[in-house]
């Protein structure tokens, strides 16, 4: 373990890179507390602190998932990651499972893309890609894609509602602007709006399914790796995407 005065970046040391990925979602205070606790433990054992001690502590702090749930979560997050990459909506930074008892893909949205209707539909497809990946591999999906206001289904629905009510993309009254406030609640009152929004969601889901059906080998390869290691970088995901595509014909 290096002295505190040394500065080593994750790129210079693979073990530190692994620790940085496992710490995804933790605050600086969380990490300081964890290091203090681990250092106190190793001092009692009269030995030096190692990278392995920190990795063990970070892994111990994660919620333990059953093998079935871990595999399904890995498929879900791999679906999101592939969609972001292939649809060129965002740059994937990390994909992880088990951290905070859930899975997540951290991405950076591409600022160079014109926010056209095509961009919007591809964005919605990316939001639905996790759920779509589950349907493709397992034939069904769990409730985790919905159920709360920041869920995949909620965000996808919000984008589809925006397209129909305030972004000028609707075929019905495209110039009519409706306020953001209460727009989701309109779905229960306006049957025709609900039908148009649902049609957009179905179209986006079909886009995600078509993409993932063509990327099935990559989906399984990335999910298998993610299940084993718990967290992957965008570079690792891109590498597996390229490898799974095979040599150019």
């Amino acid at each position: 373990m290096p002295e505190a005065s040394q500065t080593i970046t994750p790129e210079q040391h693979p073990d530190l890179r692994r620790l940085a990925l496992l710490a995804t979602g933790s605050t600086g205070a969380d990490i300081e507390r964890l290091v203090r606790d681990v250092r106190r433990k190793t001092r009692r054992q009269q030995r030096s602190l190692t990278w392995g001690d920190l990795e063990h502590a970070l892994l111990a702090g994660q919620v333990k998932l059953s093998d079935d749930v871990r595999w399904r979560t890995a498929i879900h997050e791999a679906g999101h990651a592939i969609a972001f990459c292939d649809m060129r909506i965002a740059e994937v930074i990390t994909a992880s499972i088990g951290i905070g008892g859930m899975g997540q893909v951290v991405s950076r949205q591409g600022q160079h893309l014109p926010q056209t209707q095509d961009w919007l539909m591809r964005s919605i497809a990316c939001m639905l890609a996790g759920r779509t990946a589950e349907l493709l591999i397992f034939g069904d999906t769990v409730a985790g894609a919905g159920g709360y206001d920041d869920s995949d289904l909620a965000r996808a629905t919000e984008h589809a509602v925006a397209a129909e009510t305030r972004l000028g993309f609707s075929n019905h009254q495209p110039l009519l602007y409706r306020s953001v406030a209460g727009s989701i609640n309109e779905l229960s009152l306006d049957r025709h709006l609900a039908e148009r929004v649902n049609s957009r969601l179905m179209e986006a889901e079909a886009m995600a399914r078509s993409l993932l059906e063509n990327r099935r080998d990559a989906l399984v390869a990335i999910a298998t790796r993610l299940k084993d290691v718990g967290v992957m970088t965008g570079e690792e995901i891109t590498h597996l995407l390229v490898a799974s595509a095979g040599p150019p014909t």
Side-chain angles (χ1 to χ4, degrees):
M1 186 76 179
E3 296 298 325
S5 60
Q6 291 179 284
T7 300
I8 298 179
T9 67
E11 289 74 17
Q12 293 171 317
H13 200 293
D15 288 332
L16 183 55
R17 183 179 180 83
R18 165 78 172 161
L19 295 179
L21 291 173
L22 289 174
T24 299
S26 299
T27 66
D30 292 334
I31 298 304
E32 285 186 30
R33 190 180 309 111
L34 180 141
V35 172
R36 284 198 303 270
D37 290 344
V38 175
R39 191 180 296 279
R40 190 179 302 116
K41 178 180 178 180
T42 57
R43 281 174 178 167
R44 287 198 303 267
Q45 297 172 345
Q46 298 183 336
R47 62 181 181 82
S48 299
L49 178 66
T50 67
W51 301 115
D53 292 322
L54 295 175
E55 179 175 351
H56 179 77
L58 286 166
L59 289 170
Q62 297 180 12
V63 175
K64 298 297 187 295
L65 304 176
S66 69
D67 286 344
D68 287 346
V69 172
R70 192 173 178 84
W71 174 234
R72 184 181 284 267
T73 305
I75 287 289
H76 184 105
E77 301 307 332
H80 282 307
I82 291 172
F84 280 131
C85 292
D86 277 8
M87 292 191 176
R88 304 186 185 281
I89 289 298
E91 174 191 359
V92 174
I93 308 301
T94 61
S96 62
I97 58 174
I99 297 175
M102 56 187 288
Q104 66 173 341
V105 173
V106 177
S107 62
R108 182 186 299 116
Q109 183 173 311
Q111 299 299 319
H112 63 288
L113 300 173
Q115 296 186 355
T116 62
Q117 181 166 201
D118 176 67
W119 167 87
L120 180 71
M121 293 302 293
R122 286 186 287 130
S123 297
I124 297 174
C126 290
M127 296 171 197
L128 297 176
R131 184 178 186 276
T132 304
E134 290 186 56
L135 290 169
L136 182 62
I137 299 300
F138 305 110
D140 60 11
T141 183
V142 296
Y148 52 97
D149 290 343
D150 193 37
S151 66
D152 293 341
L153 289 180
R155 292 188 299 113
T157 300
E158 287 175 354
H159 278 63
V161 168
E164 291 293 326
T165 61
R166 56 185 183 273
L167 296 181
F169 293 151
S170 178
N171 291 326
H172 175 73
Q173 299 177 331
L175 300 183
L176 179 65
Y177 175 86
R178 300 185 190 182
S179 172
V180 175
S183 59
I184 289 292
N185 292 331
E186 287 187 46
L187 295 177
S188 60
L189 303 175
D190 188 334
R191 177 173 60 84
H192 297 296
L193 173 61
E195 289 174 352
R196 296 197 304 274
V197 167
N198 185 65
S199 178
R200 281 187 178 274
L201 294 172
M202 296 295 289
E203 180 184 345
E205 184 184 51
M207 291 167 60
R209 173 173 281 275
S210 176
L211 184 154
L212 293 175
E213 283 176 343
N214 291 330
R215 284 294 208 174
R216 190 184 185 105
D217 289 346
L219 175 64
V220 172
I222 292 169
T224 299
R225 177 64 178 165
L226 185 56
K227 177 179 182 292
D228 290 342
V229 301
V231 61
M232 295 175 66
T233 65
E235 291 86 349
E236 292 174 302
I237 290 168
T238 299
H239 176 76
L240 284 177
L241 273 172
V242 173
S244 297
T249 56

